[in-house]
Amino acid sequence: MQDQSERAREEALLSGSIAEAKAELRSMSLMKGRPLRSTVVTFGCQMNARDSEKLRGILEAVGFEDTDDEETADFILYNTCTVRENADQHVYGRLGILTGLKKKNPDLIVGLCGCMMQEEHVVQKIRKSYPVVELIFGTHNLFTFPELLARILRERKRVIELWDGTDRIVEHLPVKRKYAFKSGVNIMFGCNNFCSYCIVPYVRGRERSREAEDILEEVRQLSADGVKEIMLLGQNVNSYGKTSGSGMTFPELLRQTARVPGIERVRFMTSHPKDLSDELIDVIASERTICRHFHLPVQSGSTRILAQMNRRYTREAYLELTKKIRAKVPDISLTTDLIVGFPGETEDDFLDTLSLVREVGFDSAFTFLYSRRTGTPAAKRADQVPDDVAHERFDRLLAAVKESSEVMCRRFEGQVMEVLVEEENRMQGYVSGRISQNLTVHFPGTKELIGQIVPVRLKECKGFYYFGEQEGR
Ligand code: SAH
Ligand code: SF4
Ligand code: F3S
């Protein structure tokens, strides 16, 4: 555990570099005769989204005006993801567009951070082929961003700082939340599981849990700030606490979070099937504010493939778990992640995945084509599945998922459910929100409802979302 003096020193360093960057920015803005604008573009998962809120918080503390418009921004930061090849390609594509923007506005600064930057081959390519990028940092040194920002504003020379790893957790970074009424809260960083296809442990480093008291204090503060929904975040939340001194387990942390006054809804992600305890299911069943939604990635329905993926559970164990969850929490919505075309996957293995989807009856599932990630054990295998075979299986899987989710979604039709209203809909006069089971509902309403929890009758199921009508109006 970090001692208080070390923390105080860290906070002093942080506010020192924020002040330094602020002074640099002020003189630039005096020269330009207008405030300078920044934007952060997020790729990837909830964890990256939360990191981006910290990056935006730092930029705001430094004095940038926040914008979503890249065309008019003076500083553009891409927080990248590399979990699959298409995430990388997306970033390279966008860098081409930014090269064009830079020609129009030579003062533009472009920065890259996040998971992709933790890969050496990526950074080499950017150094060589994308001169538009002037600032690069990684996942382990996100908290040095103010210092790097001060340096680039002052010197206007390429700044690249990357760390191989870290055992530090820096608390109290400034945060600018995307939503007033809901927030992610990191409970742990990194991953120790090394699923054989996955790049995350290499780019996010070893598992580190935050102290339970820091997490609960953050939740209390968020509640005081009007937040109603909390999502606890980690790559494998079930192993929370195994890497920190406080000794609290995930079910206990979840229970305590659920009981923070003012918090109406608690979600969590992601839960790994291998160490999901009965205690966790009991906590979900017994706490009113924990949402009736369980995202439990299975990846494959074949025990043989699961072993090669290093997932450490069998098809049978997974089926058993889902039965147990459904028995104790009957109105739960179960969702999952599936990978098609893992090296060596045969037609029989794939049929096992299809039959598992049918047997569980998922409310929805994210389906992914296996993507070969440099440095992972699966990428080295010679028996990669041909693209056409993988695509053909992917289409069949998608059809099975669609079938199952239509049936599952429909089971709430006609009921009145509480909806947390999130945004105005593109359809005039409508708003959209989510029920506890994470399904989306659109219904007539105005923007004053955003952030409120209201009863809505789910009148018509549209496959994977609903049209509804507010009750008691
Ligand atoms: N920690 C979470 C998942 C993080 S990544 C967990 O273990 O459940 C989110 C999803 O991306 C994974 O569940 C997996 O389905 C998918 N994924 C990860 N690596 C992949 C790869 N190399 N190719 C295709 N999909 C992948
Ligand atoms: Fe990747 Fe597996 Fe860790 Fe999830 S648990 S992040 S899939 S290595
Ligand atoms: Fe992508 Fe990094 Fe998340 S690789 S999925 S942004 S942890």
Side-chain angles (χ1 to χ4, degrees):
M1 190 177 174
Q2 244 184 346
D3 67 36
Q4 290 305 321
S5 63
E6 198 179 331
R7 263 200 193 180
R9 199 178 58 88
E10 238 164 31
E11 279 176 31
L13 278 175
L14 188 70
S15 48
S17 43
I18 287 178
E20 206 183 317
K22 198 171 178 170
E24 294 295 340
L25 191 73
R26 195 180 303 125
S27 57
M28 274 180 70
S29 136
L30 278 173
M31 261 175 359
K32 287 233 171 217
R34 62 168 175 83
L36 295 180
R37 287 179 289 266
S38 66
T39 192
V40 179
V41 182
T42 312
F43 303 84
C45 66
Q46 308 274 357
M47 236 121 354
N48 251 23
R50 183 61 178 161
D51 283 350
S52 286
E53 294 187 337
K54 296 174 188 169
L55 296 163
R56 279 201 136 103
I58 292 170
L59 287 163
E60 187 178 57
V62 162
F64 275 102
E65 250 178 30
D66 191 55
T67 172
D68 281 329
D69 180 19
E70 287 176 64
E71 294 269 339
T72 60
D74 301 285
F75 178 61
I76 300 175
L77 183 61
Y78 281 4
N79 189 11
T80 63
C81 168
T82 185
V83 76
R84 285 169 292 274
E85 178 65 24
N86 52 8
D88 288 26
Q89 289 316 328
H90 199 141
V91 169
Y92 289 128
R94 300 273 290 248
L95 286 181
I97 300 173
L98 293 191
T99 307
L101 272 185
K102 174 92 177 170
K103 285 203 183 106
K104 279 195 259 165
N105 172 14
D107 288 341
L108 171 70
I109 303 177
V110 173
L112 294 182
C113 65
C115 296
M116 230 176 125
M117 299 306 114
Q118 292 298 143
E119 293 177 288
E120 223 174 281
H121 65 95
V122 169
V123 177
Q124 267 175 18
K125 178 166 170 172
I126 289 168
R127 269 181 196 271
K128 215 172 109 220
S129 312
Y130 293 92
V132 66
V133 178
E134 289 181 87
L135 169 66
I136 298 181
F137 58 98
T139 57
H140 303 304
N141 61 329
L142 181 139
F143 64 90
T144 65
F145 177 42
E147 192 186 314
L148 304 176
L149 194 58
R151 213 191 312 158
I152 195 155
L153 291 175
R154 193 171 49 237
E155 298 168 9
R156 288 313 303 261
K157 273 197 289 214
R158 230 182 197 184
V159 173
I160 299 182
E161 188 159 313
L162 292 158
W163 295 8
D164 287 342
T166 185
D167 54 5
R168 284 165 73 181
I169 293 178
V170 175
E171 296 286 342
H172 305 303
L173 289 173
V175 170
K176 185 175 165 59
R177 281 202 316 279
K178 187 167 174 195
Y179 299 97
F181 53 89
K182 67 171 182 180
S183 179
V185 170
N186 300 104
I187 66 168
M188 59 206 300
F189 301 93
C191 181
N192 285 352
N193 286 324
F194 290 96
C195 300
S196 63
Y197 51 82
C198 183
I199 194 80
V200 171
Y202 305 89
V203 296
R204 284 275 173 176
R206 292 297 63 71
E207 200 172 283
R208 296 157 333 265
S209 298
R210 285 175 74 194
E211 293 296 329
E213 197 33 53
D214 289 334
I215 296 167
L216 292 167
E217 183 51 32
E218 183 176 346
V219 174
R220 287 190 283 266
Q221 280 183 12
L222 286 167
S223 169
D225 200 29
V227 167
K228 290 186 179 148
E229 181 176 296
I230 294 288
M231 184 179 277
L232 300 179
L233 298 173
Q235 291 299 354
N236 175 15
V237 292
N238 294 330
S239 68
Y240 170 78
K242 293 180 184 158
T243 43
S244 89
S246 64
M248 195 183 282
T249 61
F250 179 62
E252 187 53 31
L253 178 71
L254 187 60
R255 188 200 312 276
Q256 295 205 21
T257 306
R259 292 183 180 179
V260 169
I263 296 302
E264 292 289 332
R265 284 184 170 187
V266 181
R267 302 184 183 275
F268 57 90
M269 132 172 270
T270 307
S271 188
H272 192 302
K274 84 178 154 66
D275 34 28
L276 195 162
S277 64
D278 287 356
E279 192 193 350
L280 178 62
I281 306 174
D282 292 337
V283 168
I284 296 170
S286 64
E287 295 295 324
R288 177 191 64 85
T289 58
I290 300 177
C291 288
R292 273 32 199 157
H293 173 215
F294 213 126
H295 185 63
L296 195 59
V298 63
Q299 316 299 0
S300 167
S302 149
T303 294
R304 193 182 79 87
I305 293 291
L306 286 170
Q308 294 178 14
M309 287 177 161
N310 193 28
R311 291 290 288 182
R312 287 172 274 182
Y313 53 85
T314 59
R315 169 196 177 89
E316 290 70 31
Y318 185 89
L319 287 171
E320 203 47 50
L321 258 183
T322 54
K323 278 193 200 119
K324 209 166 14 176
I325 296 169
R326 283 244 163 86
K328 285 193 177 168
V329 198
D331 57 347
I332 198 106
S333 145
L334 275 174
T335 61
T336 200
D337 292 345
L338 296 155
I339 297 178
V340 176
F342 181 82
E345 183 188 75
T346 63
E347 176 66 14
D348 278 351
D349 293 319
F350 173 69
L351 290 176
D352 280 348
T353 300
L354 267 188
S355 73
L356 179 127
V357 165
R358 297 201 172 109
E359 198 169 332
V360 175
F362 290 109
D363 288 73
S364 72
F366 293 108
T367 47
F368 302 112
L369 274 171
Y370 166 73
S371 174
R372 203 169 177 177
R373 307 315 289 134
T374 311
T376 60
K380 295 186 192 83
R381 287 177 55 164
D383 52 352
Q384 303 288 323
V385 174
D387 281 356
D388 56 337
V389 175
H391 276 99
E392 190 267 338
R393 287 180 191 161
F394 184 85
D395 292 345
R396 278 192 282 162
L397 183 62
L398 208 60
V401 166
K402 189 160 174 271
E403 215 173 278
S404 136
S405 66
E406 277 183 10
V407 172
M408 293 309 287
C409 179
R410 202 169 292 282
R411 74 191 191 278
F412 303 117
E413 202 169 54
Q415 294 187 29
V416 176
M417 301 272 231
E418 294 204 318
V419 172
L420 172 56
V421 184
E422 301 202 330
E423 59 198 8
E424 276 184 291
N425 195 282
R426 264 175 299 176
M427 213 166 32
Q428 187 83 44
Y430 275 75
V431 290
S432 305
R434 277 167 211 272
I435 58 174
S436 170
Q437 283 81 352
N438 210 34
L439 287 164
T440 301
V441 186
H442 309 298
F443 65 98
T446 53
K447 64 174 189 290
E448 290 69 40
L449 289 175
I450 294 172
Q452 289 186 42
I453 296 177
V454 293
V456 174
R457 185 172 296 277
L458 309 183
K459 294 184 75 165
E460 195 188 349
C461 175
K462 289 282 190 185
F464 55 95
Y465 63 91
Y466 282 98
F467 276 114
E469 207 161 79
Q470 200 179 336
E471 279 282 292
R473 293 187 73 215

